[in-house]
Amino acid sequence: MTVSRVLNNKGYVSDEKRKKVLECAKRLNYQPNMIARSLVLNRTSTVGVLLSHIENPVYAQYVASMSRVFRTHGMDIILSCASSVEDWISGVKTLLGKQVDGLVILPVELDDISDHPQAWAQACEEVGKLLCANAKPYVVVGDSYVSDKSIRVRHDYQAGAEMAVDYLIKMGHRKIGHLRFENGDGVWAERLEGFERAMKRAGLHVRAEWIYSCGDDDVYRAMHATLEMLDRVSELPTAICCANDKFAVGAMQALNMRGMRVPEDISLIGHDGSLYSRCTSPFLTTISIQPLTAGTRAAEVLLDLLHERPVDRGDVFVPPNFQEGGTVRRIHTEDGGANG
Amino acid sequence: MTVSRVLNNKGYVSDEKRKKVLECAKRLNYQPNMIARSLVLNRTSTVGVLLSHIENPVYAQYVASMSRVFRTHGMDIILSCASSVEDWISGVKTLLGKQVDGLVILPVELDDISDHPQAWAQACEEVGKLLCANAKPYVVVGDSYVSDKSIRVRHDYQAGAEMAVDYLIKMGHRKIGHLRFENGDGVWAERLEGFERAMKRAGLHVRAEWIYSCGDDDVYRAMHATLEMLDRVSELPTAICCANDKFAVGAMQALNMRGMRVPEDISLIGHDGSLYSRCTSPFLTTISIQPLTAGTRAAEVLLDLLHERPVDRGDVFVPPNFQEGGTVRRIHTEDGGANG
DNA sequence: TACTTGTATGATAACGCTAACATATCTGAG
DNA sequence: CTCAGATATGTTAGCGTTATCATACAAGTA
């Protein structure tokens, strides 16, 4: 009827009627029923977001920035938090049942994945099939392969690691250590690769005893790994490039425990730009990943897909950002010198 | 038709037909259209969650735990992140339009609130009216008054502050300082009140020069406030009870800068159990609020309302939890002694 | 036999909206 | 005067479900 025309600003309506309708709507606290509208329009103005631990601040930032973008385009987000592969799949089914217009798949950290990698591959296949069968566009944030056709938005960890090393070198460091994650898969491998590439490019040999590992993504473990390193090596590096901020915080604690000052005695640089980088004194110098940018980009790409605009099919890489802190000291070249 | 009966396990269906239907459904990757179902059933199995900064880990934890509870009851969450009062209201309208079955209103931190408190009150009134007009049940998490009828789930900050003081006293401290927030409204006032109450109950006088303030909820500012305090007072307290973890981290940095060790020279206790409490070495001893519990409780209360089960109308208080760290030292009574 | 009860399935309407078409009035051009 | 086009409004059908009622047959009971 005419009411629909008024509320949608569509077609011809006389000013008189329009005014009347709007007045009535206000008086009755009328709120159009989007469910009914969705049924006939065959779109819900709702996107599904699939994730695991929203407690993880990085994921929360993805959600925050996506929410912002989608809202400005009149879309809302249905959240589906999975804690198991089974949950994850049923989450997709539920979202499809609720007729979301599209999906964003955030990184999934499930306990059962590492134990059963084939279960994950199988889940990806099933989800891919479901999404394809329902012809729902989707974007993957992070490094998971959901299907060959996934458009992924990823952080450029390798560039980040290179950026860290380049900065240390620019600040005069030549003897550079690296605290890495023991099980160097995925993003960790990228960080290690970035480190090695930047060192190589600068013509610096990586001394083996300065590359040491931490078994867990944990401050405490990083501290102990660093203590062990400090007690083991014959000569100390002038700077340690840490695979993430937690490691850097742990390293800093270890150094302090041995009576060494950061950055006077040794420099530290982290990677992530997480809250941890703001807990130390001085603040940690680190390479900050840009979760807000990633979330925004992911939302934008999905909107492009939804509006059937042309979209670049390759991975989207989000560059990191240098975050100045106080844990890297400028040293003169004679302090550094050759090594290895 | 019969299909509906099969999928809903309702009414009489022969085993033969049932099998046939399920087979077809699987073959066609059939997913029932919840939108159509919602239209006729007049419920969506969806709840709206209203919040501001989901980047805030505490809010993210609310969402995480609520998501868990709702999911186990077959409900999903539509997120509405507001960044202004206007956004917030339009968020409610959108959610109502999408016919959510109920709402959870998380704490709203909007820039324009502090400047225009009456705008906030007005917004609350409007939202209350909307929710009432649409007869949607809702639960408020935190201390905001949305309406007189709001059921609120709150952290017992006062009990937390008392717990902190009681612990310090149990550990032999008598000379206790307090780093508080300058603008002592709301939750901050509760914390201060808890502190004072516990001190009074223990018969300890609160020495005025040991109560000092920080103007911003910020590590750096807390550090400077503490430095100023350290340089000002004639005698130091043996312990400082901090209004939150950030303050404690700042205080710790200040003490370290003055060459004092925590807890050897002075003890510290925080409040919140935030990430900050895990960034220090040793870990901060703190009173941890329980956002996961709060989120769970809020979801449970909303489910009760949705199922029209009897619900206690008063505020629900979530008790805090003592989180052991290494920043409080046990001292003998002769070290403490009378004060003031 | 006739009536009840349990089982199984189909037909119809309705949920609140919008697309598509039909109708009606008005304006100005030829 | 007539017709085209713009303006304004109403009518109808349909989106994919489920509630309700109607129908049908079987088995058991009086």
Side-chain angles (χ1 to χ4, degrees):
Chain A
M1 56 179 12
T2 305
V3 172
S4 175
R5 273 186 274 260
V6 171
L7 298 174
N8 291 32
N9 266 321
K10 240 179 181 177
Y12 296 111
V13 187
S14 67
D15 284 355
E16 183 199 7
K17 273 269 162 73
R18 157 168 286 119
K19 204 172 290 178
K20 221 178 207 166
V21 168
L22 290 175
E23 190 202 326
C24 280
K26 177 152 285 180
R27 191 161 43 78
L28 300 174
N29 261 321
Y30 174 80
Q31 209 62 36
N33 185 328
M34 292 304 177
I35 294 294
R37 170 181 291 186
S38 299
L39 190 57
V40 48
L41 291 186
N42 201 28
R43 65 183 152 77
T44 51
S45 298
T46 306
V47 300
V49 172
L50 225 72
L51 48 61
S52 45
H53 300 283
I54 196 180
E55 303 94 314
N56 183 327
V58 175
Y59 301 163
Q61 280 183 278
Y62 291 149
V63 173
S65 55
M66 291 193 307
S67 161
R68 221 159 284 150
V69 175
F70 283 128
R71 166 180 272 271
T72 62
H73 289 79
M75 312 206 62
D76 289 292
I77 284 178
I78 297 190
L79 221 55
S80 179
C81 303
S83 53
S84 69
V85 170
E86 199 184 343
D87 269 7
W88 192 66
I89 296 176
S90 86
V92 174
K93 287 185 181 166
T94 308
L95 291 175
L96 289 176
K98 297 218 170 170
Q99 309 297 118
V100 293
D101 295 336
L103 292 95
V104 179
I105 300 181
L106 295 187
V108 180
E109 283 180 2
L110 305 173
D111 303 334
D112 35 3
I113 286 184
S114 43
D115 303 339
H116 308 287
Q118 82 284 6
W120 172 242
Q122 206 175 313
C124 282
E125 192 182 346
E126 179 163 358
V127 166
K129 206 177 62 187
L130 279 171
L131 294 174
C132 188
N134 293 57
K136 294 291 178 196
Y138 67 98
V139 175
V140 175
V141 175
D143 307 281
S144 321
Y145 279 103
V146 171
S147 95
D148 297 338
K149 284 170 289 189
S150 309
I151 297 183
R152 296 188 297 175
V153 176
R154 306 168 64 187
H155 295 289
D156 200 342
Y157 294 117
Q158 197 171 316
E162 290 183 50
M163 192 183 271
V165 174
D166 289 346
Y167 178 71
L168 291 176
I169 291 171
K170 198 185 88 186
M171 293 295 275
H173 293 272
R174 295 290 175 273
K175 302 178 180 178
I176 298 173
H178 184 49
L179 171 48
R180 58 188 280 272
F181 188 64
E182 195 162 87
N183 187 357
D185 273 13
V187 302
W188 303 101
E190 287 179 44
R191 292 174 185 208
L192 179 59
E193 200 172 321
F195 172 80
E196 285 171 344
R197 175 186 295 210
M199 290 293 279
K200 195 169 183 180
R201 191 173 50 217
L204 294 178
H205 174 68
V206 187
R207 207 194 277 193
E209 64 175 357
W210 290 342
I211 310 284
Y212 65 107
S213 300
C214 180
D216 240 333
D217 182 11
D218 179 82
V219 172
Y220 191 75
R221 297 287 287 269
M223 181 184 79
H224 276 286
T226 306
L227 286 176
E228 194 272 333
M229 186 277 287
L230 293 177
D231 296 341
R232 175 169 45 78
V233 302
S234 48
E235 184 194 11
L236 284 176
T238 63
I240 301 174
C241 173
C242 302
N244 75 8
D245 291 344
K246 282 192 207 177
F247 287 4
V249 170
M252 192 157 168
Q253 292 178 358
L255 289 164
N256 288 339
M257 285 172 73
R258 285 288 179 270
M260 281 179 272
R261 287 268 152 204
V262 176
E264 291 80 0
D265 300 319
I266 202 160
S267 292
L268 283 180
I269 191 163
H271 195 159
D272 277 349
S274 64
L275 251 181
Y276 289 93
S277 69
R278 302 257 154 208
C279 294
T280 56
S281 172
F283 285 163
L284 187 64
T285 299
T286 190
I287 307 302
S288 176
I289 62 171
Q290 306 292 312
L292 293 176
T293 308
T296 302
R297 293 290 292 119
E300 287 169 349
V301 171
L302 187 56
L303 283 169
D304 284 344
L305 289 170
L306 289 172
H307 293 141
E308 293 176 339
R309 293 188 214 113
V311 167
D312 194 354
R313 306 297 310 180
D315 287 0
V316 176
F317 278 96
V318 178
N321 197 32
F322 178 74
Q323 182 180 307
E324 178 113 48
T327 57
V328 176
R329 173 182 156 231
R330 175 182 295 283
I331 61 176
H332 302 294
T333 26
E334 52 269 27
D335 296 26
N339 64 90
Chain B
M1 56 178 12
T2 305
V3 172
S4 174
R5 272 186 276 260
V6 171
L7 297 174
N8 291 34
N9 266 320
K10 240 178 180 178
Y12 296 110
V13 188
S14 66
D15 284 354
E16 184 199 6
K17 272 267 163 78
R18 157 167 288 120
K19 206 171 290 176
K20 220 178 209 167
V21 168
L22 290 176
E23 190 202 328
C24 280
K26 177 151 286 178
R27 190 160 45 78
L28 300 174
N29 261 322
Y30 173 79
Q31 208 63 35
N33 186 327
M34 293 305 177
I35 294 293
R37 172 182 289 185
S38 299
L39 189 58
V40 47
L41 290 186
N42 201 29
R43 65 183 151 77
T44 51
S45 299
T46 306
V47 301
V49 172
L50 225 73
L51 47 62
S52 44
H53 301 283
I54 196 180
E55 304 94 315
N56 183 326
V58 175
Y59 300 163
Q61 281 184 277
Y62 290 150
V63 174
S65 54
M66 291 193 308
S67 161
R68 222 159 285 152
V69 174
F70 283 128
R71 166 180 273 272
T72 62
H73 290 79
M75 312 206 63
D76 290 292
I77 285 178
I78 296 191
L79 222 55
S80 179
C81 303
S83 53
S84 70
V85 170
E86 199 185 343
D87 269 7
W88 192 67
I89 295 176
S90 87
V92 174
K93 287 184 181 166
T94 308
L95 291 176
L96 290 175
K98 297 220 170 171
Q99 309 297 119
V100 294
D101 295 337
L103 291 95
V104 179
I105 300 179
L106 295 187
V108 180
E109 282 180 3
L110 305 173
D111 303 335
D112 37 2
I113 286 185
S114 43
D115 303 338
H116 306 287
Q118 83 284 5
W120 172 242
Q122 206 175 312
C124 282
E125 192 182 346
E126 178 162 357
V127 166
K129 206 176 61 186
L130 278 171
L131 295 174
C132 189
N134 293 58
K136 295 291 178 195
Y138 66 98
V139 175
V140 175
V141 176
D143 307 280
S144 322
Y145 278 103
V146 172
S147 95
D148 298 339
K149 283 171 290 189
S150 309
I151 297 183
R152 295 189 297 175
V153 176
R154 306 168 64 187
H155 296 289
D156 200 341
Y157 294 115
Q158 197 170 316
E162 289 183 50
M163 192 183 270
V165 175
D166 290 346
Y167 178 72
L168 291 176
I169 291 172
K170 198 186 88 186
M171 294 294 277
H173 293 271
R174 295 291 174 272
K175 302 177 179 179
I176 299 172
H178 185 49
L179 171 49
R180 59 188 279 272
F181 188 64
E182 196 162 86
N183 187 358
D185 273 14
V187 302
W188 303 101
E190 287 179 44
R191 293 173 185 210
L192 178 59
E193 201 172 319
F195 172 81
E196 285 171 344
R197 176 188 293 211
M199 292 292 279
K200 195 169 183 181
R201 191 173 50 216
L204 295 177
H205 174 69
V206 186
R207 207 194 276 194
E209 64 174 357
W210 290 342
I211 310 283
Y212 66 107
S213 299
C214 180
D216 241 332
D217 181 11
D218 179 82
V219 172
Y220 191 75
R221 298 287 287 270
M223 182 184 78
H224 277 285
T226 305
L227 286 175
E228 194 272 334
M229 185 278 286
L230 293 176
D231 296 339
R232 174 170 45 79
V233 302
S234 48
E235 183 195 14
L236 285 176
T238 63
I240 301 174
C241 174
C242 302
N244 74 9
D245 290 344
K246 282 191 208 177
F247 287 5
V249 169
M252 193 157 166
Q253 292 177 358
L255 290 164
N256 289 338
M257 286 171 74
R258 285 289 179 270
M260 280 180 272
R261 289 264 152 206
V262 177
E264 290 79 0
D265 300 318
I266 202 160
S267 292
L268 284 179
I269 191 164
H271 195 159
D272 277 349
S274 64
L275 250 181
Y276 290 92
S277 69
R278 302 259 155 206
C279 295
T280 56
S281 172
F283 285 164
L284 188 63
T285 299
T286 190
I287 307 301
S288 176
I289 61 171
Q290 306 292 312
L292 293 176
T293 308
T296 302
R297 292 292 290 120
E300 287 169 349
V301 170
L302 186 57
L303 282 169
D304 284 344
L305 288 170
L306 289 172
H307 293 139
E308 291 177 339
R309 293 188 216 114
V311 167
D312 195 352
R313 307 297 308 180
D315 286 0
V316 176
F317 278 96
V318 178
N321 196 32
F322 178 73
Q323 181 179 309
E324 179 113 48
T327 57
V328 175
R329 171 180 158 233
R330 176 182 294 284
I331 60 175
H332 303 295
T333 27
E334 53 268 27
D335 296 27
N339 63 89

